[in-house]
Amino acid sequence: MKDQIVTLNVGPSQLLSQLCDEIRLEDIINEQVTWDQARCGLSPGTRIKAILLNILAQGNPLYKINEFYETQDVEQLFGAGIIADHFNDDALGRALDYLYKAVPWKVYTSLALSALKVLELRLGTLHNDTTSFSVYGQYLNDSDAETKLNITYGHSKQKRPDLKQIVLGISVTPERIPVLAKVEDGNTSDKAWNLTFIKKMRETLNDHDWSNLLYQADSALITKENLKELADYELDFLSRLPDTFTLSTELKSKAWATNDWQNIGTLTDKKEAAMYRLQTFEDEIDGQTYRFVVVHSDQLAKLKANKLVRDGQKEREQFEKEMTTLHKGTFHCLADAQEAKQAFEKAHRLTLHRYQLSIDTEELPIKRAKRGRPKKEDQLEFQTVYRVHLALFEPDHDALETKRQLLSTFILITNKLEETTFSALDVLKTYKGQTAAETRFRLLKEEQMIDAVFLKTPERIEALGIVYVMALLLYGMLEYRIRTSMKQETEPLILMGKRKLFAPTGKALLEQLADIQLILIRQNGQTMRFLPDNIKDQTKRIVTLIGYDMSIYISDTPKKNC
């Protein structure tokens, strides 16, 4: 190797690599995949790790990852003799093939449980959600292969119904650490996904973890079929009761009639945070008893009040338009007018207004039978006709109040009946934690994390979907470590844009770490690494708070600093 002095933009890669090593990422992948160690220059675990570092540090597509490693200290990351060309798209594609054959979601669960152990987090509440990702290209789906991913059209949460897609579902802890993940067919509904995901979880978790698990998902979980399956699996759950259940309206009405609200106040100290009130009831669905928490939110009330105004205006405008048509009509007998009035009233049962119609008589001139101008001595003849008039139209204040009450409340359902161990406030706080899953999806949707997928086979797409969740796992570890450490700090981190933060996002941390450079000197067969003097103090502080020091970038045997 010729002598050289180069400056490398290494960014957060070495720190992320250390996190991979902590959870034994390469070892766990290699232990579960079947691969030919004699013929493979690099293990599948090493190549998967290379994809992960690129996703978080830069986000190049698969065919450009080797370009990313041309500016990295590859030997420091992966070992002596490793070069950027070892991570060409063909090699990485084969690594995805190995991962697929090992069942990606099972491999991921092993990694996630290892991460929880490293972070000293227990498995308790899991927040679950799904999203869709668009896929370019043509994929032939084998209908005879039950286990193969079906890339097809479905309800696109990316607003791209013109593209085929896959569905990705994840379960995350309250600390936003993804624990379970599964890639499903593009036309999988949320209702069907929940049941499939629960079955996969049961295959993975032992009896102890299962008994301590609380499965939390959105209202798509609650169907009569799913409730029966949840009971059969003896799985504790929490969700939102859909308004399609008649019980929803009944319980909301009961809460307002009882008016025995428990004032909770706000759950956060954010400006204009919602104020909550709660009431708890027990009731049955198909003979099974559940606990229902009726939640009133003042912010929801304000939002729905505006909607009521818009709905009322729309109802009024539509009614006036149709009433004008009715009023123009004339009837020659009272019976016909009454029949038209009754038909109109039957077809126009308003929800936000009340009205009354009346039938009035009018005298209208009879059209002359003869043509031409009438003579002076001709007398006009009149006939009596009947016309339907609007006698009263006004807001129905009782109906508006009832509607307002129903819209300003929602209902949470759980099979955990013990108020002493899982209070109504706990129910609400746990439900609000659903944003933990939603924020992880928002991260994946960002351009630097993932764009529309284009790979050769459905198998590789399924494997890559799980690799992206592995990236979320590292991202979550980074974020959790720094936020835990910052709880002991008195001074905030001052990150890019002069933002002073005690609870920075993983994105903000990665942006700050991106400025790390390394001076690499190869001379007389030796390699020496140096860090420039101008690395920012806040960047060094991040590395320290996560548990390391800057020696991880220059030492052959970096040590953890905690």
Side-chain angles (χ1 to χ4, degrees):
M1 183 180 295
K2 65 179 182 179
D3 294 348
Q4 60 178 175
I5 301 176
V6 295
T7 300
L8 301 176
N9 298 314
V10 293
S13 296
Q14 188 56 248
L15 179 59
L16 295 170
S17 176
Q18 295 299 313
L19 294 178
C20 288
D21 294 344
E22 276 196 69
I23 64 174
R24 299 182 56 250
L25 183 135
E26 292 179 73
D27 292 339
I28 288 175
I29 293 175
N30 292 334
E31 288 166 3
Q32 297 195 41
V33 304
T34 301
W35 57 292
D36 189 340
Q37 299 186 39
R39 297 181 59 185
C40 291
L42 288 180
S43 72
T46 299
R47 289 194 165 107
I48 295 298
K49 175 182 173 180
I51 299 175
L52 293 177
L53 300 188
N54 169 74
I55 289 172
L56 291 170
Q58 185 162 329
N60 282 353
L62 213 61
Y63 69 93
K64 286 188 175 182
I65 288 181
N66 60 328
E67 296 179 12
F68 164 73
Y69 282 107
E70 289 174 359
T71 64
Q72 295 293 310
D73 188 356
V74 180
E75 290 192 341
Q76 179 77 339
L77 292 171
F78 302 105
I82 308 302
I83 60 175
D85 284 344
H86 286 147
F87 303 114
N88 61 70
D89 58 335
D90 287 335
L92 299 179
R94 288 194 298 272
L96 293 176
D97 291 337
Y98 289 128
L99 179 60
Y100 173 80
K101 291 178 182 178
V103 187
W105 68 267
K106 290 186 176 180
V107 176
Y108 177 76
T109 301
S110 298
L111 286 172
L113 293 177
S114 174
L116 289 184
K117 185 176 181 180
V118 167
L119 297 175
E120 298 181 347
L121 293 174
R122 68 180 184 85
L123 188 60
T125 300
L126 289 180
H127 303 283
N128 306 271
D129 205 357
T130 65
T131 194
S132 60
F133 288 99
S134 300
V135 176
Y136 289 111
Q138 297 295 321
Y139 295 89
L140 298 177
N141 294 302
D142 185 355
S143 59
D144 296 328
E146 295 182 359
T147 60
K148 185 173 289 188
L149 183 67
N150 183 18
I151 300 174
T152 186
Y153 300 102
H155 173 67
S156 176
K157 298 181 181 181
Q158 290 183 300
K159 311 302 181 184
R160 290 301 306 268
D162 57 313
L163 296 177
K164 292 183 178 181
Q165 65 180 25
I166 58 174
V167 171
L168 173 64
I170 62 172
S171 288
V172 305
T173 68
E175 297 81 13
R176 302 182 182 184
I177 305 298
V179 174
L180 298 162
K182 186 74 171 66
V183 178
E184 296 288 353
D185 297 345
N187 58 359
T188 301
S189 69
D190 284 352
K191 294 179 180 179
W193 173 84
N194 273 292
L195 190 54
T196 301
F197 203 64
I198 289 168
K199 291 177 180 178
K200 298 299 183 185
M201 283 199 309
R202 192 64 190 100
E203 291 179 29
T204 305
L205 302 179
N206 58 42
D207 291 344
H208 178 268
D209 287 338
W210 188 259
S211 63
N212 290 305
L213 183 65
L214 175 64
Y215 185 85
Q216 197 267 310
D218 62 21
S219 60
L221 172 66
I222 306 303
T223 67
K224 289 189 175 182
E225 178 189 10
N226 285 359
L227 287 174
K228 183 179 182 302
E229 292 286 346
L230 288 166
D232 291 343
Y233 277 104
E234 297 182 345
L235 176 62
D236 290 334
F237 73 89
L238 168 63
S239 186
R240 181 167 175 165
L241 181 68
D243 288 335
T244 52
F245 281 74
T246 56
L247 182 60
S248 174
T249 301
E250 293 172 4
L251 289 173
K252 289 179 181 181
S253 300
K254 184 177 180 180
W256 285 105
T258 305
N259 203 29
D260 185 22
W261 296 99
Q262 175 188 0
N263 291 313
I264 297 300
T266 62
L267 298 182
T268 71
D269 56 0
K270 293 182 179 180
K271 186 179 180 181
E272 297 183 357
M275 301 278 291
Y276 293 102
R277 297 188 294 167
L278 310 176
Q279 282 190 71
T280 302
F281 303 96
E282 284 190 10
D283 214 311
E284 293 185 355
I285 297 177
D286 284 351
Q288 184 73 33
T289 301
Y290 301 97
R291 183 151 60 111
F292 300 91
V293 178
V294 183
V295 182
H296 174 264
S297 163
D298 69 332
Q299 292 295 334
L300 184 60
K302 293 176 184 177
L303 180 66
K304 296 302 182 181
N306 294 332
K307 182 179 185 302
L308 273 179
V309 171
R310 295 192 299 271
D311 290 348
Q313 181 66 23
K314 183 178 180 181
E315 184 178 78
R316 182 187 185 99
E317 291 173 355
Q318 183 64 28
F319 179 84
E320 289 176 344
K321 179 180 178 181
E322 297 182 14
M323 187 63 216
T324 299
T325 302
L326 175 63
H327 181 66
K328 289 179 179 179
T330 58
F331 304 91
H332 294 283
C333 70
L334 179 60
D336 288 347
Q338 289 175 334
E339 183 178 348
K341 173 178 174 291
Q342 291 170 0
F344 185 89
E345 290 170 338
K346 183 177 180 179
H348 299 81
R349 293 173 178 172
L350 304 184
T351 58
L352 303 177
H353 295 86
R354 61 189 187 94
Y355 68 95
Q356 292 179 3
L357 303 180
S358 64
I359 299 175
D360 300 328
T361 60
E362 292 185 26
E363 297 296 320
L364 297 180
I366 298 175
K367 187 177 181 181
R368 296 174 64 250
K370 295 180 180 181
R371 301 180 63 182
R373 181 178 297 177
K375 298 178 180 180
K376 291 182 179 180
E377 61 271 19
D378 289 346
Q379 298 292 322
L380 286 176
E381 295 182 5
F382 289 86
Q383 64 178 342
T384 301
V385 297
Y386 299 87
R387 199 188 299 271
V388 181
H389 288 271
L390 181 63
L392 173 71
F393 185 86
E394 63 183 12
D396 187 337
H397 295 293
D398 290 339
L400 283 167
E401 177 61 16
T402 300
K403 191 77 170 179
R404 182 193 65 79
Q405 291 174 351
L406 296 178
L407 289 175
S408 64
T409 53
F410 59 91
I411 299 179
L412 304 179
I413 175 176
T414 180
N415 58 347
K416 289 176 70 68
L417 304 179
E418 306 82 5
E419 179 74 26
T420 55
T421 58
F422 195 49
S423 69
L425 178 56
D426 293 332
V427 170
L428 177 61
K429 286 182 176 179
T430 303
Y431 174 76
K432 297 301 289 184
Q434 177 68 7
T435 55
E438 296 167 355
T439 54
R440 299 298 86 159
F441 280 140
R442 285 199 292 270
L443 177 68
L444 278 181
K445 298 288 187 178
E446 292 183 2
E447 184 177 355
Q448 66 267 30
M449 282 291 287
I450 186 170
D451 201 348
V453 179
F454 181 39
L455 292 175
K456 292 181 179 180
T457 66
E459 293 88 345
R460 288 185 178 182
I461 287 180
E462 182 173 346
L464 185 61
I466 296 300
V467 171
Y468 273 107
V469 183
M470 292 179 188
L472 288 184
L473 178 63
L474 296 181
Y475 183 97
M477 290 180 67
L478 182 75
E479 196 174 78
Y480 176 75
R481 276 267 178 84
I482 201 79
R483 291 186 176 190
T484 301
S485 295
M486 286 302 295
K487 290 178 182 179
Q488 312 301 322
E489 298 289 308
T490 57
E491 295 295 327
L493 280 168
I494 305 175
L495 303 184
M496 293 180 64
K498 297 182 179 180
R499 293 170 293 171
K500 297 180 179 181
L501 303 170
F502 278 99
T505 64
K507 180 180 178 181
L509 297 172
L510 291 173
E511 288 175 348
Q512 185 71 30
L513 294 167
D515 69 353
I516 299 176
Q517 293 187 324
L518 177 74
I519 301 170
L520 186 69
I521 301 176
R522 291 191 175 97
Q523 191 173 40
N524 300 325
Q526 293 185 333
T527 299
M528 294 170 284
R529 297 175 174 87
F530 302 93
L531 291 170
D533 294 333
N534 63 346
I535 294 178
K536 297 176 183 177
D537 290 339
Q538 294 298 314
T539 300
K540 297 176 182 178
R541 187 181 174 198
I542 289 173
V543 175
T544 302
L545 288 169
I546 290 173
Y548 294 93
D549 58 46
M550 296 302 295
S551 68
I552 61 175
Y553 285 90
I554 59 177
S555 173
D556 292 332
T557 56
K559 294 182 180 180
K560 200 166 182 294
N561 194 33
C562 63

